[in-house]
C-alpha cells in the first residue's frame, strides 16, 4: 500500500559538526557587532508519525524541524532572536536582529551568561540516542496491531480514536562566548491508542501509551492496546458523588502533575517574581518527614536525562526534599543571581525528578486507605501557583473496604497545595517513568470533593 | 484585486523564483498517484515580543520562520510532509513523500486556478512596523507606572507586547489558489498585589488582527491596567468558594469560553465524522435550551479569531451551530466535509505549515436574549456569579467539561456579595446547555486573548456571550 519511507531519520539530521559551525559563526558575528557576551542554541529534529483508525491508515506525517536561537549581551542589555533558516545570510540577519533588540532593552544588573566555572566539562554517555527507522509499512503495522488488540478486547469498545506510532531523533548544540560548546543527540519513540466504549450511560474514551528512548524498550503493541481498552471500559456508567471531604489516591500519571506544581512553585522565575506560595520556603518542612525528592539527570536512557542544561551548566544529582524539608530550589543563572544563590543547572527545566516510593503497591495503598477516591484523570487549569489554591475537574473510582466499587465522574477536587503536600500519607511503588517527573501514586488527605 | 495573492507571491514564491506554473507542476506530480486531492501551503511569519518586569523592559525577542507543507489525501488517508526551505527541489521531495500513502494510478487532472484572497476583514500592513521600538518600550514603561500609581498594594507588574505578521498562500488540486496576509497584536498586563502577607494576581489584555495603533484608542490600555489591578485587589478579599451544585450566573464576554468547551469542540466536523462526539448524529435535535443560538463567525473585522480565508483557501462565513436550542450544523474543513457529504464552512485551520489542517473554531458566541442582566442576578437566592475565567477543557466523547473561574462572587438573596476564590466549574455539555434558563441582552465578545489547543496545535480564537443563568452547575470550592 505504501512506498518505503524515503530516507532514514539519522540521515536526515545535519551533522553535529555542521551545527557547531553555525554556533561559531554566530559568536564571531555578534562579537564583531560589539556584543560583550553571546550564546546560541541549535537544534535539528526528524521523525515519522503514523495514525491508524478502525483498521485503516489515517495519516502518515514526516517531520523535519530545525531552529537557531541567539542571545546577545551588550554589557547588561540583552537581545534575543531566532530562525529556522540556517543559510549564512539568514544566520547573520538573526544575529543582527538580536543586537538591534538589545539596543532598546534597559540594563538589567542580573543579565548575563552562566558562570564559566559551572560549565559541563565531562560529557557522560547517557545512552539517549537510539534512532529507529521503521519503514512506513512497519510503523503502520505496529499501530494496527495496537489498535486491533484494543478493539477486540471487549465488545463494549464500539469505536476508536485511533492508534499512533511516532519516532523522533534530534540533535542539540549549545555554545557561548565563554568557550563552552557542547552537543548531544537523543531519540524518542512512542506508541499508543485511544478507544471509545459505550453503554446505556453513554460514551467514554480513554487511552494508554508507551514512550522510550529505544524502540526495544517500548511496551508490546498488544499490551498497550489491551490496557487502553481496559481503562476505557472501566469508565462506563460513572456516577457523581455527593459533596464531601475524603482521602484521595492520585494514580501515578496524575500524581506527576502534583510534583509538577511543586516544581513550578520552587522555580526561580516564580520565586523572584513573588509569584509563588512557596517563597522563602528553603529549609522549611513542606511534606511529612518520610518524603525524599531527588533530581538524577544522568540515568541512562531516561526521558529527562541531559549532560548539561540550556546554559551549558553541568547537571548533577541533588536532593530537593529530604526528611520532608525543602533543600533546594530549581534555578537558572538569572534567577539564582536575583535570589543571591547559585544556579542549580535547571535552565530549561528539571532532569528526572523522582520522589522515593514507600513499601506499598497501589492495591495495598487502596486497602490502607479503605474508603475514598482513586483519581485517574484531572481536567482544567484550576491551579493557582501564587496562592496555592487547587480546584480541578476529576474522574476516577470510588473505593470502599480497599476495593474499587464503581467509576466516578463529573466531580471537582479542591484544596490548597500546601495542605495537600503536608497531607501526603504515602507514595506507592508503581513508578511511572514516562516523563521527566517520576513518581508512584500518592495518597493524600485534606481535599474536598464537590458533586451533587 | 487579489491584493493578498500578489503580496503572498512576492513574499513566498518570488525570492526563489517559484511561479504559479511550478505549483501546478508539483500538484500534477502529486496527482500521478490515486489521490483525491492535494494541497501546498506556503507560510512566512515574523513575530516579536517585548516584556517588562521590575519596571524595566528586560527582554525582547524576534523570530522569523517560513516553510511549505504538502498534503495528499486518498479516501480517509492523509500523507503529509513539509520543508522549511521554499525551493523547488524541497517542494518536490515533500510531494513525493506525501503522495506515498496512495498507489501509483490514474493521473488526475489539476483544476484551473480559481484565484482568491481579497482582504476584507483586516489590513495587509505589517503591524510590527506600526510603532517604533522606542515607542513600544515607552508604552510598556508607561503602563507599569500607571499600574503602580493606582494602589500601593500593587507589588509586581508584568507587561508584555507582541505582534506577528503572517503571509500564507495555498494551492490545491481543486484549483484553489488563495492567499491571506494576517496581522496580529496582543498586549497583556498582569499584577501581583500584596496585603497583610497575602498575595493575589490579576491580569487583563487584548488585541486582534490590527496594528499596535489599536491600543492607543478608546482608553484600551487604561482599561487593561485598571482591570488587572482591580481583579488582584478583589481577589485579596476573596473567601473560600462553596462546593456542590448550585445556580451559576456567568457574566458577558470571556465567560463564553463555556460555549467553546461545552459545545464548540463537540461540533467540530472531524469528531462527528468519527462519531466520537457526544453531539454526533444529532443534527435537528434539541441540544440546548430554547432561546440559545450559538454561532461561529470568522468574518468579524479585526477580531482575533477572524480569517479572510481559512488555511485551505475557503472564505470564512457566519455558521449557525445551534438555533433556538436546535443543532443546525458542524464546523468543517474540506477533508471532513467531503467525507460527510457536506460543504466546507471555512473552519479548516492549522497552526503552521508544519501541521495538518483540522476543523477549528474562529469566533464562537451566543446571541443576545431579552433579559436585563440585573434581573438575571436578582433571580438567584444562593449561587455564584462568575465574571472571569482562566481557561477550560472538554472531553468531547463523554461531554464533560470544566472551566476555571478567576473572578467570582457569591449571590445571596438576589444580591452579589463577597468575592470567592477561583473555583473550577464542571458539567456535561448537552445537560448544561439545557439548563440555561435566562439569556441576557448584553452580548459581548472577549477582548482578544483566546488561544485554543487541539491535538497539540494552537490557534487564536474569540469567544463571547451575554449574561447567562445556568440553573445548576457543580462548583468546585472547598466549603462543603
Amino acid at each position: 500500500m505504501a512506498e518505503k519511507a524515503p530516507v532514514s531519520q539519522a540521515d536526515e539530521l545535519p551533522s553535529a559538526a555542521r551545527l557547531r559551525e553555525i554556533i561559531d559563526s554566530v559568536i564571531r558575528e555578534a562579537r564583531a557587532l560589539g556584543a560583550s557576551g553571546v550564546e546560541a542554541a541549535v537544534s535539528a529534529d526528524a521523525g515519522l508519525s503514523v495514525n491508524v483508525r478502525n483498521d485503516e491508515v489515517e495519516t502518515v506525517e514526516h517531520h523535519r524541524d530545525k531552529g537557531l536561537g541567539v542571545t546577545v549581551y551588550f554589557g547588561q542589555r540583552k537581545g534575543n532572536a531566532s530562525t529556522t533558516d540556517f543559510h549564512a545570510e539568514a544566520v547573520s540577519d538573526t544575529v543582527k536582529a538580536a543586537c538591534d533588540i538589545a539596543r532598546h532593552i534597559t540594563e538589567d544588573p542580573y543579565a548575563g551568561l552562566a558562570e564559566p566555572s559551572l560549565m559541563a566539562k565531562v560529557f557522560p554517555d547517557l545512552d539517549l540516542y537510539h534512532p529507529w527507522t521503521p519503514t512506513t509499512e512497519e510503523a503502520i503495522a505496529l499501530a494496527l496491531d495496537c489498535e486491533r488488540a484494543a478493539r477486540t478486547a471487549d465488545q463494549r469498545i464500539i469505536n476508536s480514536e485511533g492508534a499512533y506510532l511516532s519516532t523522533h531523533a534530534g540533535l542539540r548544540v549549545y555554545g557561548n562566548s565563554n568557550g563552552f560548546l557542547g552537543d548531544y543527540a537523543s531519540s524518542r519513540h512512542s506508541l499508543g491508542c485511544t478507544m471509545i466504549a459505550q453503554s446505556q450511560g453513554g460514551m467514554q474514551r480513554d487511552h494508554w501509551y508507551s514512550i522510550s528512548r529505544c524502540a526495544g524498550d517500548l511496551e508490546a503493541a498488544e499490551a498497550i492496546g489491551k490496557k487502553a481498552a481496559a481503562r476505557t471500559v472501566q469508565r462506563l456508567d460513572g456516577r457523581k458523588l455527593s459533596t464531601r471531604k475524603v482521602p484521595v489516591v492520585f494514580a501515578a500519571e496524575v500524581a506527576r502533575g502534583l510534583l509538577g506544581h511543586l516544581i513550578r512553585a520552587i522555580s526561580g522565575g516564580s520565586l523572584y517574581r513573588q509569584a509563588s506560595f512557596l517563597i522563602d520556603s528553603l529549609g522549611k518542612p513542606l511534606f511529612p518527614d518520610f518524603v525524599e525528592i531527588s533530581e538524577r539527570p544522568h540515568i541512562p536512557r531516561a526521558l529527562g536525562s541531559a549532560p548539561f542544561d540550556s546554559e551549558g551548566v553541568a547537571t548533577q544529582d541533588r536532593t530537593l526534599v529530604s526528611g520532608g524539608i525543602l533543600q533546594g530550589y530549581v534555578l537558572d543563572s538569572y534567577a539564582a543571581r536575583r535570589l543571591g544563590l547559585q544556579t542549580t543547572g535547571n535552565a530549561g527545566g528539571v532532569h528526572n525528578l523522582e520522589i522515593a516510593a514507600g513499601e506499598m503497591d497501589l492495591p495495598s495503598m487502596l486497602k490502607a486507605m479503605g474508603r475514598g477516591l482513586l483519581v485517574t484523570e484531572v481536567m482544567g487549569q484550576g491551579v493557582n501557583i501564587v496562592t496555592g489554591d487547587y480546584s480541578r475537574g476529576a474522574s476516577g473510582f470510588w473505593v470502599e473496604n480497599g476495593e474499587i466499587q464503581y467509576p466516578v465522574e463529573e466531580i471537582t477536587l479542591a484544596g490548597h497545595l500546601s495542605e495537600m503536600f503536608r497531607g501526603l500519607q504515602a507514595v506507592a511503588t508503581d513508578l511511572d517513568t514516562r516523563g521527566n517527573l517520576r513518581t508512584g501514586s500518592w495518597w493524600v488527605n485534606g481535599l474536598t470533593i464537590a458533586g451533587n | 484585486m487579489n491584493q493578498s495573492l500578489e503580496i503572498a507571491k512576492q513574499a513566498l514564491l518570488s525570492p526563489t523564483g517559484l511561479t504559479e506554473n511550478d505549483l501546478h507542476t508539483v500538484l500534477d506530480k502529486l496527482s500521478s498517484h490515486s489521490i483525491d486531492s492535494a494541497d501546498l501551503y506556503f507560510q512566512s511569519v515574523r513575530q516579536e515580543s517585548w516584556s517588562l518586569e521590575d519596571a524595566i523592559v528586560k527582554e525582547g525577542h524576534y523570530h522569523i520562520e517560513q516553510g511549505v507543507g504538502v498534503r495528499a489525501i486518498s479516501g480517509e488517508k492523509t500523507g503529509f510532509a513539509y520543508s522549511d526551505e521554499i525551493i523547488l527541489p524541497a517542494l518536490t521531495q515533500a510531494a513525493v513523500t506525501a503522495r506515498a500513502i496512495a498507489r501509483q494510478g490514474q493521473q488526475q487532472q489539476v483544476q484551473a486556478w480559481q484565484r482568491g484572497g481579497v482582504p476584507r476583514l483586516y489590513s495587509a500592513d505589517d503591524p510590527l512596523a506600526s510603532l517604533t521600538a522606542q515607542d513600544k518600550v515607552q508604552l510598556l514603561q508607561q503602563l507599569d507606572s500607571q499600574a503602580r500609581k493606582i494602589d500601593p498594594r500593587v507589588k509586581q507588574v508584568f507587561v508584555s507586547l507582541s505582534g506577528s505578521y503572517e503571509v500564507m498562500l495555498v494551492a490545491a488540486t481543486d484549483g484553489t489558489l488563495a492567499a491571506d496576509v494576517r496581522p496580529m497584536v496582543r498586549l497583556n498586563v498582569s499584577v501581583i498585589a500584596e496585603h497583610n502577607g497575602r498575595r493575589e494576581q490579576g491580569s487583563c489584555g487584548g488585541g486582534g488582527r490590527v496594528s499596535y495603533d489599536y491600543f492607543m484608542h478608546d482608553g484600551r490600555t487604561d482599561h487593561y491596567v485598571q482591570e488587572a489591578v482591580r481583579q488582584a485587589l478583589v481577589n485579596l478579599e476573596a473567601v473560600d468558594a462553596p462546593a456542590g451544585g448550585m445556580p451559576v450566573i456567568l457574566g458577558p464576554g470571556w465567560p463564553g469560553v463555556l460555549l467553546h468547551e461545552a459545545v464548540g469542540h463537540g461540533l467540530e466536523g472531524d469528531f462527528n465524522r468519527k462519531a466520537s462526539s457526544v453531539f454526533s448524529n444529532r443534527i435537528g435535535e434539541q441540544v440546548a435550551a430554547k432561546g440559545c443560538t450559538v454561532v461561529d463567525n470568522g468574518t468579524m473585522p479585526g477580531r482575533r479569531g477572524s480569517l479572510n480565508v481559512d488555511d485551505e483557501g475557503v472564505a470564512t462565513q457566519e455558521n449557525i451551530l445551534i438555533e433556538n436550542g436546535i443543532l443546525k450544523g458542524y464546523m468543517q474543513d474540506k477533508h471532513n466535509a467531503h467525507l460527510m457529504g457536506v460543504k466546507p464552512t471555512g473552519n479548516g485551520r492549522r497552526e503552521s505549515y508544519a501541521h495538518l489542517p483540522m476543523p477549528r473554531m474562529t469566533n464562537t458566541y451566543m446571541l443576545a436574549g431579552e433579559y436585563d442582566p440585573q434581573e438575571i442576578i436578582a433571580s438567584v437566592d444562593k449561587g455564584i456569579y462568575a465574571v472571569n475565567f482562566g481557561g477550560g477543557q472538554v472531553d468531547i466523547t463523554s461531554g464533560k467539561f470544566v472551566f476555571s473561574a478567576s473572578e467570582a462572587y457569591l449571590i445571596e438573596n438576589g444580591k452579589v456579595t463577597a468575592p470567592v476564590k477561583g473555583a473550577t466549574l464542571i458539567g456535561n455539555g448537552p445537560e448544561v446547555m439545557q439548563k440555561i434558563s435566562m439569556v441576557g441582552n448584553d452580548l459581548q465578545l472577549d477582548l482578544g486573548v483566546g488561544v485554543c489547543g487541539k491535538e497539540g496545535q494552537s490557534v487564536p480564537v474569540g469567544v463571547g456571550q451575554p449574561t447567562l443563568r445556568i440553573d445548576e452547575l457543580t462548583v468546585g470550592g472547598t466549603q462543603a
Side-chain angles (χ1 to χ4, degrees), chain B residues 129-148:
Chain B
S130 65
L131 210 56
T132 65
Q134 208 170 359
D135 287 341
K136 291 167 193 167
V137 167
Q138 267 175 15
L139 171 65
L140 267 57
Q141 284 165 339
Q142 177 204 324
L143 300 188
D144 172 80
S145 63
Q146 249 178 285
R148 290 175 193 274

Side-chain angles (χ1 to χ4, degrees), chain B residues 91 299 310:
Chain B
L91 188 54
T299 71
D310 73 4

Side-chain angles (χ1 to χ4, degrees), chain A residues 80 82 272-273 334 338 391, chain B residues 53-54 58 61 63 424:
Chain A
N80 178 276
S82 57
Y272 83 72
R273 294 183 177 105
Y334 180 83
R338 290 288 310 257
S391 171
Chain B
E53 65 178 33
D54 300 326
K58 58 165 74 159
H61 179 75
H63 177 74
T424 286

